[in-house]
Amino acid sequence: MVRRVLTCVLLATVLSACSVEAPAYRPTPTPAPPTAAATAVAKPDILPLTYEIYPLGAGTGAAVAKTAIFFSNPNAFVLDWFMTVRFVNGIDVRDERIGNAGVPPDRADPKFENWFFPIPPGDSWTIVRFAKPFTRTDVQEFRDARSLVTIGEVGGVKVADQTCANDQPVGVIGCDLTVATTATVPGFSKLHLVVLVRNKAAPRAVIGAMQWRPELATTGKPWFALAAGETSKIQMHDSYPTPTVPWEYEVIAHTYQYSSQ
């Protein structure tokens, strides 16, 4: 009798120790309070930039139309970019991809007018030349990314002297600029100059723009070379007639160094 009781007690103990709850009936664990590490949000590698587009009318006698694009890059590094622009001419619809990322220069253009620079940190401008200007609504796609090649801005290069005025003989804006540097410009560097023309009256609308690059100069040299203390004089002329309203101008200069070309 005693043996039977002990056996029953032993079996009850074993069965109790081996019993499990069905997964569906397990109590839901109380979540631990969030920690600072758990609530931190990962920051993106590239901060989003903003851009604005200013179509500029061709004007009387102008061979091409211009579109000025303004970029504001909050990152500390240059960005490759491209956008797809839709041009509509009656029933003819054409998408043109522009930018400096994966887009070769337009070699059909006599002077590579639509070859683009990367977007530097801070504010910058670029000029697009086509048969007609385009607006923000014509942009079908815009993308940017950290540059895949070594591209950096060169410091110490500035426009030391500048004058833009009405060039009376031809009736367009002419600019005389002097570029100076405090240090020797490294090899494989390119200078990009943009002259922005605004209406003097508020809201100071953009009414004109010009740009200059070494490969557009008569020398045909694609690189910009300047030793420390030297200066380079550059002349620019607009292809549009001088504005009929009071205007003012601003010169924006960026110099880029490429690892190779």
Side-chain angles (χ1 to χ4, degrees), residues 63-67 106 109 113-114 116 127-132 211 238-240:
V64 295
K66 298 179 186 178
T67 301
D106 181 8
D109 190 278
E113 287 284 3
N114 290 326
F116 300 96
I127 312 300
V128 184
R129 296 166 64 92
F130 280 117
K132 59 180 291 188
Q211 75 177 348
D238 200 0
S239 58
Y240 290 11

Side-chain angles (χ1 to χ4, degrees), residues 42-88:
K43 294 183 179 180
D45 291 336
I46 299 178
L47 298 174
L49 60 76
T50 57
Y51 69 96
E52 300 172 13
I53 295 179
Y54 298 85
L56 304 173
T60 305
V64 295
K66 298 179 186 178
T67 301
I69 306 178
F70 166 79
F71 295 107
S72 182
N73 177 9
N75 300 280
F77 46 84
V78 297
L79 296 173
D80 287 338
W81 65 282
F82 76 81
M83 65 173 57
T84 303
V85 182
R86 177 157 296 176
F87 293 93
V88 180

